[in-house]
Amino acid sequence: MKDIKVNALYIHIPFCIKKCVYCDFNSVVSNTKTIDQYLDAINKELNSLNGRYVFNTIYIGGGTPSVLTEAQLGKLLNNVVSCVQASEIKEFTIEANPGTLTSNKVRLLKEYLVTRVSLGIQSFNDKQLNFLGRIHSGNDAINAFNLLRNVGFDNINIDLIFGCPEQSFGDWESDLRTVIELNPKHLSIYALTYEEGTPLRRNWVNGNVKKLDECVELEMYKTAIGYLTDSGYNHYEISNFAKDGYECLHNYIYWRNEGYAGVGAGAFSFVDGLRTSNIRDVYQYIEGINEGRNIKTFSECLQHEHFASETVIMNLRLRQGISDKDFHDRFGYKIYDRFGRLINRLVEDGLISYDNETLKLTDKGLFVADTVMAEFL
Ligand code: SF4
């Protein structure tokens, strides 16, 4: 197996103004003092990477990175930029919530070489936004998008959620029409999920919330694919759409199962075949960094076969699929050599296609992608 390069840097900012009802991300509502201490801890962890890697992509995610004050944001960006070789950076993304962006913050992003902003809009419908517990309105979302455009951001992603209880087909079509009118370069669309431990799941279990029928959800997904591809978006990954040349380079690294370094509470890294994760709790993370303790709470050394299976699964998320030549270069054998019988069966069922060079999901397979991918484990 070839050495895996570490070209991507992820930085986690686990703070939000309030928790959305469906959220199971590592994020907390916190005060300025804790955020300051956290940024100092992040800086120490960044410095500990000590020029070990040459990063091509940076992704600051959360939580809500845009919740930081202008002074905090400036400090974070300054620290990040001084820890990397700026000339090597091809993409620098930050996530932002429309309710927390100001023109000064957006100007700071430009000043510190951020190239791409991912806006967590989720919906333009105020009833939906209210149900999800978002802090912004549909109008705020449009204003935030226009603010970014006016300051010169061309590469903007918009996240949308579909399948909210009581969301009608018309509501979803209206969201799609609005987003197409805004014409962002990239779009990520996700079905609402009912994760363990969230208020949304509790409300569903208690019978206070009724899930949308799965068939309706599937139709919403298919409708989105139709609308977006007709509007010039390339459906390049199960949940992701981009105008030509605007596919997310950072996420490609995850989908190809390549190496990355993660900094911050709960951040995962994948270095030298070892997958690790930092301590999740924000306060313990700060304490651990300040006391010089080991902050890794999880580590898994990926065995060759397991790594190979995982690589097939991750790559199948991409509509272009996985090249057998690339796979052979990485693992020393062809996908068909190991999965031949399974491939034959899935081809017969019309769920994947395989032409001796590329393995990929068919349109039929796309709609049951989780089940198909699980077969390769
Ligand atoms: S803004 Fe994002 S990270 Fe924060 S609570 Fe909502 S879904 Fe979770």
Side-chain angles (χ1 to χ4, degrees):
M1 187 163 64
K2 276 189 174 174
D3 280 351
I4 311 162
K5 280 197 184 145
V6 175
N7 295 133
L9 172 64
Y10 175 79
I11 298 161
H12 192 67
I13 304 297
F15 305 107
C16 290
I17 288 192
K18 83 182 238 262
K19 281 295 270 186
C20 303
V21 288
Y22 58 95
C23 180
D24 77 332
F25 298 127
N26 186 22
S27 74
V28 292
V29 178
S30 198
N31 55 42
T32 305
K33 190 173 160 220
T34 305
I35 298 179
D36 280 335
Q37 290 170 342
Y38 182 80
L39 293 180
D40 287 340
I42 285 246
N43 197 29
K44 285 184 191 157
E45 196 187 358
L46 272 173
N47 286 333
S48 75
L49 298 180
N50 201 15
R52 251 186 283 165
Y53 313 110
V54 178
F55 297 116
N56 298 137
T57 66
I58 306 172
Y59 194 107
I60 304 182
T64 308
S66 55
V67 83
L68 304 182
T69 62
E70 286 159 26
Q72 289 167 335
L73 187 63
K75 183 174 163 185
L76 169 70
L77 293 171
N78 188 39
N79 290 339
V80 172
V81 169
S82 30
C83 284
V84 298
Q85 290 181 35
S87 60
E88 297 293 331
I89 300 300
K90 297 193 176 96
E91 184 188 271
F92 183 176
T93 305
I94 189 165
E95 289 179 352
N97 182 309
T100 54
L101 269 187
T102 61
S103 41
N104 282 346
K105 288 185 195 176
V106 174
R107 272 191 285 274
L108 268 178
L109 302 183
K110 263 271 160 226
E111 194 182 315
Y112 284 101
L113 311 174
V114 172
T115 60
R116 183 173 184 270
V117 180
S118 178
L119 269 182
I121 287 180
Q122 318 312 351
S123 175
F124 297 95
N125 179 316
D126 288 344
K127 201 175 79 190
Q128 231 83 256
L129 290 167
N130 202 23
F131 172 84
L132 295 170
R134 305 289 299 175
I135 57 165
H136 59 88
S137 66
N139 273 338
D140 293 338
I142 293 171
N143 291 339
F145 182 84
N146 289 332
L147 175 62
L148 287 164
R149 271 278 164 85
N150 292 339
V151 176
F153 278 100
D154 170 47
N155 193 354
I156 304 171
N157 168 61
I158 288 182
D159 281 348
L160 288 181
I161 287 181
F162 63 95
C164 293
E166 292 177 33
Q167 180 182 33
S168 70
F169 224 89
D171 292 337
W172 178 230
E173 286 183 311
S174 163
D175 273 353
L176 289 170
R177 276 196 293 271
T178 307
V179 87
I180 286 166
E181 216 167 286
L182 290 176
N183 199 21
K185 293 289 193 253
H186 193 283
L187 270 162
S188 303
I189 61 158
Y190 304 101
L192 181 66
T193 52
Y194 293 68
E195 303 296 339
E196 284 292 345
T198 60
L200 179 64
R201 189 174 178 98
R202 280 195 294 281
N203 285 338
W204 168 56
V205 171
N206 295 338
N208 298 327
V209 159
K210 198 167 169 284
K211 263 191 195 178
L212 211 62
D213 190 275
E214 270 182 23
C215 299
V216 177
E217 220 175 70
L218 183 59
E219 281 311 309
M220 286 180 162
Y221 178 53
K222 288 181 179 174
T223 302
I225 295 173
Y227 267 65
L228 297 175
T229 51
D230 285 351
S231 307
Y233 288 91
N234 172 19
H235 183 199
Y236 74 103
E237 194 267 353
I238 292 176
S239 307
N240 287 281
F241 300 78
K243 292 284 169 76
D244 271 351
Y246 287 90
E247 293 81 6
C248 179
L249 301 179
H250 185 87
N251 286 341
Y252 258 125
I253 288 172
Y254 300 140
W255 295 320
R256 291 193 182 122
N257 219 8
E258 293 173 351
Y260 51 88
V263 168
F268 277 81
S269 299
F270 185 37
V271 176
D272 296 334
L274 195 67
R275 185 164 295 137
T276 57
S277 108
N278 286 350
I279 197 158
R280 204 176 145 92
D281 181 272
V282 171
Y283 304 94
Q284 289 178 23
Y285 169 81
I286 297 172
E287 207 179 277
I289 290 275
N290 288 338
E291 290 174 5
R293 278 194 261 121
N294 178 12
I295 49 153
K296 301 286 181 199
T297 49
F298 162 85
S299 123
E300 171 190 34
C301 181
L302 288 191
Q303 299 305 314
H304 189 84
E305 296 303 288
H306 180 69
F307 185 32
S309 300
E310 214 184 53
T311 302
V312 174
I313 292 169
M314 294 304 289
N315 274 266
L316 278 177
R317 294 192 63 88
L318 295 167
R319 295 307 329 264
Q320 69 190 37
I322 176 165
S323 139
D324 223 348
K325 182 181 175 309
D326 291 350
F327 184 87
H328 185 274
D329 288 350
R330 277 179 90 172
F331 297 100
Y333 59 88
K334 293 187 90 179
I335 305 176
Y336 194 84
D337 294 342
R338 174 155 164 224
F339 295 106
R341 268 179 36 200
L342 173 61
I343 290 173
N344 289 343
R345 176 162 63 77
L346 293 172
V347 167
E348 238 169 68
D349 293 345
L351 297 171
I352 57 166
S353 69
Y354 179 69
D355 60 2
N356 287 321
E357 282 177 17
T358 308
L359 179 78
K360 59 183 174 191
L361 291 174
T362 59
D363 286 351
K364 184 178 170 194
L366 176 69
F367 302 126
V368 284
D370 286 345
T371 316
V372 177
M373 292 188 299
E375 299 256 20
F376 285 86
L377 258 190

